[in-house]
Amino acid sequence: MIVHRAGEPAPASVPALEPDPQPTPDPRRWWALVVIALAQLMVVLDATIVNIALPSAQHDLGITDGNRQWVITAYSLAFGGLLLLGGRIADLIGRKRTFVLGLVGFALASIFGGAATGPGTLFAARALQGVFAAVLAPSALSLLTTTFTDPEERAKAFGTYGTLSASGAAIGFIVGGLLTQYLNWRWCLYVNVPLAIAAVCIALTVLRDRPGPTAARLDVPGVLLGCGGLISIVYAVSEAQPRGWSDPLVPTLLAAGVTLLTVFVWWQTRAPVPLLPLHIVRDRNRAGCFLTMALAVVGMFGMFLFMTYYLQVVLEYSPLQTGLAFLPLTASIVTGSTQISARLINRVPPRMLMAPGMTLAAGGMLVLTRMTVDSAYATQILPALVLMGLGMGLTFMPVFSTATAGVDPQDAGVTSATVNTSQQVGGSIGTTLLNTIATTSATAYAGAHLTDHTDRARIAAEATVHGYTVAIWCAAAIMLTAALVAGLMVTGRPTRHHVPAEQPALPESIT
């Protein structure tokens, strides 16, 4: 018996094992990143691009104040509720095919919405956009996961993806302001068409994907339970804004959503082919990333809402000026994601980026709590936006990279969908929850300060800003909680230490 110990030269009679040759990287993979980035930009941008255009659309189509929220809610409801289904469809029929289908459907829904002649048509178009976004987003992220496996290239690719995920909402405000001011609100929907056409043309040429498993079946009970639960919760928080949390419909929907999701988890332990394999969320690092993402977006989307109204209503900025005011935030996100996170992700543990990033973003929120009706943008708003942008850039890139690292190819789509679900549901809950806090605080402030001899317009403005600052205090606390979650739950090592699952370790001895 001849024993060859690791680290010693192989005897002449026993040929040394040579590692399998690595596959040649696809030279078109960077074009794949371009098309994936375009798709992600469309999905995230459409969550906010219509915000600035909403007053114009409301006037043009005769939408009532009570129904105008459906321009936003119809999109988020379909998107957040159907993401798990979209992710599993991508795993079953192929990610490239699902990706192209999502792009085409999203473009057609955008044309339908841009040509709307009444409120119902616009609401339906926004819901269709959400449906196809739920197909598009998880297939895009799973394609990115399976295309870029080298640690250095993966860091660059996820840096770009994380930048667009974090800054897409801010870009939506900028683009929405430009299109609304110089064209009209309909172009906030039509702008998706040329982006989708370009993305489809590139996708058909450069994307590669292994075929889906032919024998796999869709978990229909899981679809009904999981998607039904998510839709109930997203619908409940969207209705809490116009109706109030005490309205019977809101707690009823919340209870129904929690019940459906509880039964969904039970069913996933027994389903032959589960919609969401529970080992995905049992993993400590992934669970930490999902929770960090949800908490981060709660604060971020609330800030977008308040700052949009603060700049336009209190400081009286035009739509274009409001959009441009968010440019420093976008630039900071790009810097934090591509110049800091992408360079350090292979050298430091992910939590060493995520926890400081959330702390930095919370610091930006605390700066905003000092704003008044007379705040100067350059000295009081700009520093806060820069701090938040850097924090988000530091956080989002390692969240996406860590949450999808080491996932089996057959689960890449549903894992990607879970990341996007935490982002979308967190945004929906954050917008409604923080807006309720702001409204309640503003009402209490106005009631305490209004007298017969006060300037009512001034007090109303001060009450509005007071409401924003109270809600922003809460957002800062939520972001600090996200920092704590990232620091305690995400224990993964730097990306360079990960060994690909498909590469077996060489034996330590040969007999």
Side-chain angles (χ1 to χ4, degrees):
M1 177 181 295
I2 301 174
V3 178
H4 170 220
R5 298 188 181 278
E8 298 177 357
S13 59
V14 181
L17 289 180
E18 296 182 0
D20 294 335
Q22 295 296 319
T24 303
D26 186 353
R28 300 175 297 178
R29 64 194 180 282
W30 295 109
W31 279 106
L33 176 60
V34 171
V35 70
I36 292 169
L38 277 176
Q40 179 65 11
L41 179 62
M42 280 198 316
V43 167
V44 179
L45 181 144
D46 259 69
T48 58
I49 192 172
V50 298
N51 282 27
I52 292 179
L54 186 53
S56 300
Q58 181 179 359
H59 179 268
D60 192 17
L61 299 181
I63 304 173
T64 64
D65 288 345
N67 288 331
R68 66 184 176 186
Q69 59 145 339
W70 282 104
V71 178
I72 309 299
T73 303
Y75 181 80
S76 63
L77 187 63
F79 188 15
L82 299 175
L83 269 166
L84 283 178
L85 175 60
R88 184 48 84 190
I89 289 174
D91 289 331
L92 293 179
I93 71 173
R95 299 172 191 91
K96 177 179 177 179
R97 187 181 305 172
T98 308
F99 184 81
V100 173
L101 172 65
L103 285 170
V104 173
F106 200 88
L108 292 175
S110 299
I111 294 174
F112 181 40
T117 56
T121 307
L122 182 59
F123 300 157
R126 289 288 287 167
L128 278 176
Q129 280 188 312
V131 170
F132 287 106
V135 173
L136 183 59
S139 59
L141 182 54
S142 56
L143 280 168
L144 190 72
T145 301
T146 55
T147 300
F148 294 93
T149 55
D150 176 78
E152 295 292 337
E153 293 187 349
R154 182 180 175 88
K156 295 177 183 178
F158 274 87
T160 301
Y161 188 90
T163 297
L164 291 175
S165 295
S167 64
I171 294 172
F173 289 122
I174 299 170
V175 175
L178 284 168
L179 295 176
T180 302
Q181 187 154 330
Y182 291 108
L183 294 173
N184 61 55
W185 67 268
R186 297 179 185 276
W187 281 96
C188 291
L189 296 167
Y190 288 146
V191 71
N192 294 313
V193 178
L195 290 176
I197 291 174
V200 167
C201 292
I202 301 173
L204 293 174
T205 305
V206 306
L207 289 183
R208 290 183 178 178
D209 185 27
R210 63 189 70 186
T214 55
R217 294 182 294 113
L218 187 63
D219 176 18
V220 176
V223 170
L224 297 176
L225 291 168
C227 295
L230 288 173
I231 288 174
S232 293
I233 290 175
V234 175
Y235 184 31
V237 297
S238 67
E239 285 295 295
Q241 183 173 344
R243 293 174 178 266
W245 289 95
S246 60
D247 187 274
L249 179 64
V250 175
T252 300
L253 287 171
L254 284 174
V258 171
T259 301
L260 287 172
L261 290 180
T262 302
V263 178
F264 169 77
V265 172
W266 170 82
W267 170 249
Q268 294 308 283
T269 63
R270 290 159 175 77
V273 185
L275 178 67
L276 175 61
L278 294 183
H279 65 82
I280 291 175
V281 294
R282 286 196 187 109
D283 181 90
R284 177 172 178 166
N285 287 302
R286 290 196 191 97
C289 287
F290 298 152
L291 188 52
T292 300
M293 170 65 79
L295 292 171
V297 175
V298 165
M300 185 178 73
F301 273 52
M303 182 274 296
F304 284 147
L305 175 69
F306 300 141
M307 292 310 300
T308 301
Y309 277 91
Y310 176 76
L311 293 171
Q312 289 197 62
V313 177
V314 178
L315 298 187
E316 298 182 345
Y317 281 23
S318 69
L320 177 58
Q321 287 175 316
T322 302
L324 293 176
F326 282 102
L327 266 179
L329 175 71
T330 305
S332 299
I333 291 173
V334 172
T335 301
S337 185
T338 63
Q339 301 304 310
I340 302 177
S341 282
R343 295 176 183 271
L344 295 179
I345 190 66
N346 294 326
R347 296 176 174 86
V348 301
R351 64 178 173 181
M352 297 303 293
L353 296 170
M354 295 162 59
M358 282 290 90
T359 304
L360 200 62
M365 287 287 191
L366 292 177
V367 173
L368 281 181
T369 61
R370 302 182 62 185
M371 68 183 183
T372 67
V373 293
D374 302 312
S375 291
Y377 175 83
T379 57
Q380 293 179 278
I381 308 301
L382 177 60
L385 295 180
V386 171
L387 286 174
M388 282 187 289
L390 287 174
M392 289 296 176
L394 283 171
T395 303
F396 273 51
M397 184 268 170
V399 164
F400 283 117
S401 180
T402 305
T404 56
V407 178
D408 292 335
Q410 65 267 23
D411 291 330
V414 72
T415 304
S416 305
T418 308
V419 181
N420 281 285
T421 298
S422 63
Q423 183 179 16
Q424 188 63 31
V425 173
S428 298
I429 293 174
T431 300
T432 301
L433 176 63
L434 295 178
N435 188 59
T436 301
I437 293 172
T439 303
T440 304
S441 301
T443 302
Y445 182 95
H449 290 79
L450 277 177
T451 66
D452 293 337
H453 305 290
T454 55
D455 182 346
R456 290 184 173 271
R458 175 75 180 186
I459 293 298
E462 290 178 352
T464 299
V465 175
H466 173 76
Y468 294 163
T469 56
V470 172
I472 289 171
W473 273 108
C474 297
I478 293 171
M479 286 188 164
L480 286 175
T481 304
L484 187 63
V485 168
L488 295 178
M489 292 187 64
V490 182
T491 59
R493 296 180 296 172
T495 306
R496 64 180 176 181
H497 294 303
H498 291 159
V499 178
E502 64 273 10
Q503 181 180 339
L506 292 178
E508 196 169 39
S509 63
I510 301 172
T511 302

